[in-house]
Amino acid sequence: MEAAEAVTPPVPLRRNLRFQALWAGQAAATLGMRVGDTAFPLLVLALTGSSTAAGAFGAVQMVTTLLLGVHGGVVADRLDRRRVLIASDAARLIATATVPVAMAFDRLTLAHLLLVAVAVGATIAYSGPIRLLALRSVVAPEQLPQALAQDEARMNGASLAGPPLAGFLYGLGGAVPFLGSALASLLALVAALVVRFPGRPASAQPNHPATAQPNRDAAAQPNRDPGGTQPAPDSGGALAGYRLLAASPLLRSALAVLLVINLAGTALMLPVMVLLRDGGTSSGGIGLALAGEAVGALAGAALVPRLHRMAGPGVLLLVVAWTAVPVPLAPLLPGGAVTVFAALFMVGFGIPALRVMLDLLVFQQVPDELRGRAIAATMTLLTAGMPAGTLGSGLLLDHLSPAVALAAITILLAVALLPATASRTLRRAVWPTPQNPAAHP
């Protein structure tokens, strides 16, 4: 009987109701946040007339997420994950709902909106790692790449649909996008309440085999660093995730490349917009051109398993990274917005495969009791690259023309990729094998 159960194939993802319900709730939450990312600055601008104040909303939200990111990882590893997710979704629902209520009573102020930014940023810090862990906990290990690819469709679809949907809803009435965002948070909260998933790390559960055999699969995973680089459960405190990532040559190299791509991708946006505007492209045309990355990522999400079969993680990472090198030069070529859209589409096409790659490497190499901190550390590091890229772009444009700034970004990106390209650890990396029984539903 036990042997028969051991070989029973897992339920297909399309029929895995827990996964699909969680995915739908998280898709609603992501779309609601993307709508808010556009609608909140518009509301601040209408309320104050200050573009600086409008930009402050996003800055306050991002800084809050970065500051609380480390603690969010600790919470994901030490507290009941499901309860934290429920609390985060409820807090975001309440914070967002206060906006249309205050508008109805004509009591909305900038201070109120900035407090909402803090609340939303905090919920991202605490719910972000848990959302990844929740989806992983309700699928079989061999289905993880497919599940993560579907999750990429959620993220990229929300990024593509969020801004225009926010503009449409805002045109219906100032409070409408926030009612929509609150409804999205309510749907996410309902999914978290209805779907049960493991609330604690697998090795923390009584009688779990990982507790008795913590190193049973160490030799079987070719990407795992020898010498027992995994800390014992709960060792290292809040910064254990950073230390664990730094101790792995493979993860260290992969994160460095992804950070460089994030920096360059953020830095090129402002000069690209300036060049397109100076070339006579309308605001709508600029928005459509910059949507190329999201459209490419949405198309690439469906091909993640195939791309993973074509190359190892390190080779795939380097190919996508080097494909991005000439992209900053696209506005300098004939075609204007169409050329920019095509270039961003080409890079965006490979991004989902890289995100899933990082998820698989972290999930397979990091013990469950440290996954929250490792994921939080990864998210914080990659998110930190975005404001740095924006700041660097502004500094370049203060001293250089947009064309020269884009050429400089191209050169800097190429130079930054050389050490990773020469790394044997990265080039020879192979995909880890699914061996964690705790991931089964």
Side-chain angles (χ1 to χ4, degrees), residues 30 33 35 38 75 142 172 230 260 264 303 310 385 390 402 408 427:
T30 305
M33 286 188 285
V35 168
T38 301
V75 167
E142 58 268 29
L172 297 178
Q230 299 183 61
V260 167
L303 297 178
M310 292 173 60
T390 302
R427 296 199 312 271

Side-chain angles (χ1 to χ4, degrees), residues 2 21 44 51 59 69 72 74 91 115 124 135 152 177 195 211 242 274 284 307 321 353 362 377 402 410 414 422 439:
E2 293 181 0
V44 174
S51 57
V74 174
L115 287 175
I124 293 173
L135 284 179
E152 280 298 311
V195 180
T211 305
Y242 291 93
V274 172
L307 292 175
V362 171
T410 299

Side-chain angles (χ1 to χ4, degrees), residues 35 67 82 89 91 116 193 204 300 312 359:
V35 168
L67 290 177
R82 183 167 171 267
D89 287 340
V116 172
L193 287 168
D359 286 343

